[in-house]
Amino acid sequence: MTVETRASSRCFGGEVHYCSHHARATGTEMRFSIYLPPGDGPFPVLVWLSGLTCTEENFTTKAGAYRKAAELGLMVVAPDTSPRGEDVADADSYDLGQGAGFYVDATEEPWAPHFRMYSYVTRDLPAVLKSDFPARQGPMGLSGHSMGGHGALTLALHHPELFASVSAFAPIVSPTRCPWGEKALSAYLGAESKTWEKHDASLLMASGTAAGHFDDILVDQGTADGFLEEQLRPELLEEAARQGGQKLTLRRQDGYDHSYFFITSFIEEHLAFHAERLR
Amino acid sequence: MTVETRASSRCFGGEVHYCSHHARATGTEMRFSIYLPPGDGPFPVLVWLSGLTCTEENFTTKAGAYRKAAELGLMVVAPDTSPRGEDVADADSYDLGQGAGFYVDATEEPWAPHFRMYSYVTRDLPAVLKSDFPARQGPMGLSGHSMGGHGALTLALHHPELFASVSAFAPIVSPTRCPWGEKALSAYLGAESKTWEKHDASLLMASGTAAGHFDDILVDQGTADGFLEEQLRPELLEEAARQGGQKLTLRRQDGYDHSYFFITSFIEEHLAFHAERLR
């Protein structure tokens, strides 16, 4: 694979790079940012999946993650949230199409040719990290926000061989039971809601998927999040964890909203959570 | 004064607010962000002046300053870089007009009616902080980046009664001797370069302005900064400090560029520098 480095900056003694590469899964150029901590590596890897409307930039500039990543010697990778380009399908809406890939492989037109973020994150991205960067071999950590929290939970539950730790900020915990999820999954996967179920973290967890693999899953949720009751519904994940026997540490953070001001306040605790499990 | 709070988020146990108010100096609505650390105050205040093209948002979302500000109990305020609006003069250029106020009071048309950022930062902003927020009475800290580093140095040297500490990141240290400064000062203050001199930190420092007031001035400059040789010229400030008997700690940070990835890497050290002097 050939990775193009589009921009680089030194940061906390390491380097932030904005990169792009041709991804087989999406058939497009995909972009990601990567933080390399000081030193030669190999480094354990944390992948961050962003939410609706985000690109690879939001986390990179706003999360304030690299001070602690440098200290912990953690490589942190943040991919874009969908394929993009003039030849890629789009919708006139912030929660579908470009910027809203939902970490599934679409089966329906016009999305099927390129909207394959599930395969991109579980196949192309790990491959390029191991071929082109000083990534430690073996499982990675996975985290994300909102739509990306949904992605983190579902991909980690399906791929315990790839991920040793998982956490999320304000995740969409049950896309089969919220407007964002219903809209996206019906568009990408078709009207038959049976096919949606394997992309629903709460349903997966309740049925015992990957049970016994993750010693704990860390989720932070702000109590002043405007999407809390209609879209996020963390109580569904709590109930699923009980049913499936999965230990879950769900922290309701008093007064925090859905923004990166919330994420930055707790990102260092998530980095430490992953670093401990990636040792 | 009436301050409108446009948005608020909890962050590291405190609150970030985006505010606006009518400013007498500029005759316009001015915007700023303010971080209130946890607790009731009164809190010592650090004012941050941003660089060309910035609004009040850049520092607020990208600097990663609030973790340490919360820990130190420091209020941090970041104003916009110029007056703005349809009735406000502008230029078709990133380094003049809206987004490029240069922290002077313009005397020339079409800028004179509104481009009065010197008065705004030294008069209106301190007043609103003390009337509407739990700011500690007494001198504040002042810092900034690039054009805002120029603003921080010049305003602090002229107003030791307002500022007890000053630092800068990659400041324009001598606007009378670089293209950005020559363009802006000739437009705002007229062709007679004699009037520019009191807005040149190196000339002020060399002539002993505020000598004896600041026990030290902290400046960080990245060695990979693309503006280093033509626009920033930190060696002029070093020479001026020697001439004027001002202690200056100028740190050349190896491999860092002009971006917020540079600022975030050292902002906590600047916050500690100010907090120590504002005790």
Side-chain angles (χ1 to χ4, degrees):
Chain A
M1 260 176 270
T2 311
V3 174
E4 185 195 346
T5 300
R6 307 168 54 88
S8 299
S9 292
R10 185 155 291 182
C11 189
F12 286 106
E15 298 280 343
V16 181
H17 302 288
Y18 284 110
C19 299
S20 64
H21 66 137
H22 181 81
R24 208 151 52 91
T26 63
T28 65
E29 178 189 74
M30 286 296 300
R31 296 189 179 188
F32 60 89
S33 78
I34 184 164
Y35 180 70
L36 303 179
D40 295 327
F43 305 109
V45 178
L46 176 67
V47 176
W48 172 270
L49 303 180
S50 292
L52 288 168
T53 77
C54 287
T55 69
E56 72 281 11
E57 265 198 81
N58 303 65
F59 176 86
T60 308
T61 59
K62 295 182 175 181
Y66 302 140
R67 189 190 81 89
K68 192 73 173 181
E71 185 186 308
L72 295 168
L74 206 53
M75 187 186 292
V76 184
V77 183
D80 197 357
T81 55
S82 79
R84 295 184 193 267
E86 285 184 20
D87 300 335
V88 174
D90 201 3
D92 192 16
S93 150
Y94 80 97
D95 54 2
L96 189 68
Q98 297 186 30
F102 259 85
Y103 307 102
V104 299
D105 286 349
T107 55
E108 303 302 296
E109 294 304 318
W111 313 106
H114 302 296
F115 279 75
R116 300 176 56 80
M117 289 299 290
Y118 185 105
S119 290
Y120 175 69
V121 174
T122 55
R123 197 183 67 196
D124 298 51
L125 190 63
V128 79
L129 295 176
K130 282 162 190 174
S131 64
D132 287 57
F133 297 94
R136 212 188 55 190
Q137 301 300 311
M140 307 180 293
L142 187 60
S143 188
H145 174 229
S146 196
M147 175 183 76
H150 143 74
L153 293 169
T154 53
L155 272 52
L157 290 172
H158 280 304
H159 292 279
E161 81 287 2
L162 285 177
F163 301 108
S165 56
V166 59
S167 76
F169 289 77
I172 299 171
V173 305
S174 186
T176 66
R177 289 174 280 180
C178 76
W180 278 340
E182 290 161 11
K183 177 175 176 176
L185 297 183
S186 62
Y188 296 144
L189 304 175
E192 176 49 68
S193 64
K194 197 76 194 156
T195 65
W196 307 358
E197 292 174 6
K198 70 172 190 175
H199 299 288
D200 184 306
S202 296
L203 298 180
L204 292 173
M205 208 180 273
S207 70
T209 308
H213 179 72
F214 298 104
D215 71 315
D216 193 6
I217 293 176
L218 176 61
V219 174
D220 275 315
Q221 172 62 60
T223 63
D225 187 322
F227 302 111
L228 181 56
E229 289 178 21
E230 190 182 9
Q231 305 281 8
L232 304 175
R233 308 181 66 187
E235 66 281 3
L236 297 176
L237 192 68
E238 270 177 326
E239 176 56 25
R242 270 192 295 272
Q243 284 176 34
Q246 171 65 55
K247 177 154 192 269
L248 172 71
T249 300
L250 172 63
R251 310 190 298 188
R252 289 179 169 81
Q253 302 287 6
D254 186 42
Y256 286 85
D257 62 22
H258 201 64
S259 72
Y260 267 88
F261 294 119
F262 160 57
I263 296 171
T264 193
S265 299
F266 302 102
I267 190 71
E268 294 199 352
E269 294 175 26
H270 284 242
L271 294 173
F273 175 89
H274 288 277
E276 194 183 330
R277 285 159 178 78
L278 296 171
R279 253 191 223 128
Chain B
M1 258 175 273
T2 311
V3 174
E4 185 194 347
T5 301
R6 307 169 56 86
S8 299
S9 293
R10 185 154 291 181
C11 190
F12 287 105
E15 297 280 344
V16 181
H17 302 288
Y18 284 108
C19 299
S20 64
H21 66 138
H22 181 82
R24 208 152 52 92
T26 63
T28 64
E29 178 190 73
M30 286 296 300
R31 297 190 179 188
F32 60 88
S33 79
I34 184 163
Y35 180 69
L36 303 179
D40 295 327
F43 305 109
V45 179
L46 175 67
V47 176
W48 173 270
L49 303 180
S50 292
L52 289 168
T53 78
C54 287
T55 69
E56 71 282 11
E57 266 198 78
N58 303 65
F59 176 85
T60 309
T61 59
K62 295 182 175 181
Y66 302 141
R67 189 191 81 91
K68 192 72 173 182
E71 184 185 308
L72 296 168
L74 206 53
M75 186 186 292
V76 184
V77 183
D80 197 357
T81 55
S82 79
R84 295 184 194 267
E86 285 185 17
D87 299 335
V88 173
D90 202 3
D92 192 15
S93 149
Y94 79 98
D95 54 2
L96 189 67
Q98 296 186 30
F102 259 87
Y103 307 101
V104 299
D105 286 349
T107 55
E108 303 301 299
E109 294 305 318
W111 313 106
H114 301 296
F115 279 74
R116 300 177 58 79
M117 289 299 290
Y118 184 104
S119 290
Y120 175 70
V121 174
T122 56
R123 197 183 66 196
D124 298 50
L125 189 63
V128 79
L129 295 176
K130 282 163 189 173
S131 65
D132 287 57
F133 297 93
R136 211 188 55 189
Q137 301 300 311
M140 308 180 291
L142 187 60
S143 188
H145 174 228
S146 196
M147 173 183 76
H150 143 74
L153 293 169
T154 53
L155 271 50
L157 290 172
H158 280 304
H159 293 279
E161 80 287 2
L162 285 177
F163 301 106
S165 56
V166 57
S167 76
F169 289 78
I172 299 172
V173 304
S174 186
T176 66
R177 289 174 280 181
C178 75
W180 277 340
E182 290 161 11
K183 178 175 176 176
L185 297 182
S186 62
Y188 296 143
L189 304 176
E192 177 48 69
S193 63
K194 197 75 193 159
T195 66
W196 307 356
E197 292 175 6
K198 71 173 188 173
H199 299 288
D200 184 307
S202 296
L203 298 180
L204 292 173
M205 208 179 272
S207 69
T209 309
H213 179 72
F214 299 105
D215 70 314
D216 193 7
I217 293 176
L218 176 61
V219 174
D220 276 315
Q221 172 63 59
T223 63
D225 186 323
F227 301 111
L228 182 56
E229 290 181 21
E230 190 182 9
Q231 304 281 8
L232 304 175
R233 309 182 65 188
E235 66 282 3
L236 297 176
L237 192 69
E238 269 177 325
E239 176 56 26
R242 269 193 295 271
Q243 284 177 33
Q246 172 65 55
K247 178 157 191 266
L248 172 72
T249 301
L250 172 63
R251 310 189 299 187
R252 290 180 168 81
Q253 302 287 4
D254 187 42
Y256 286 84
D257 63 22
H258 201 64
S259 73
Y260 268 87
F261 294 119
F262 160 56
I263 296 171
T264 194
S265 299
F266 301 103
I267 190 70
E268 294 199 353
E269 295 176 25
H270 284 241
L271 294 174
F273 175 87
H274 288 277
E276 193 182 330
R277 286 160 179 78
L278 296 172
R279 257 193 219 127

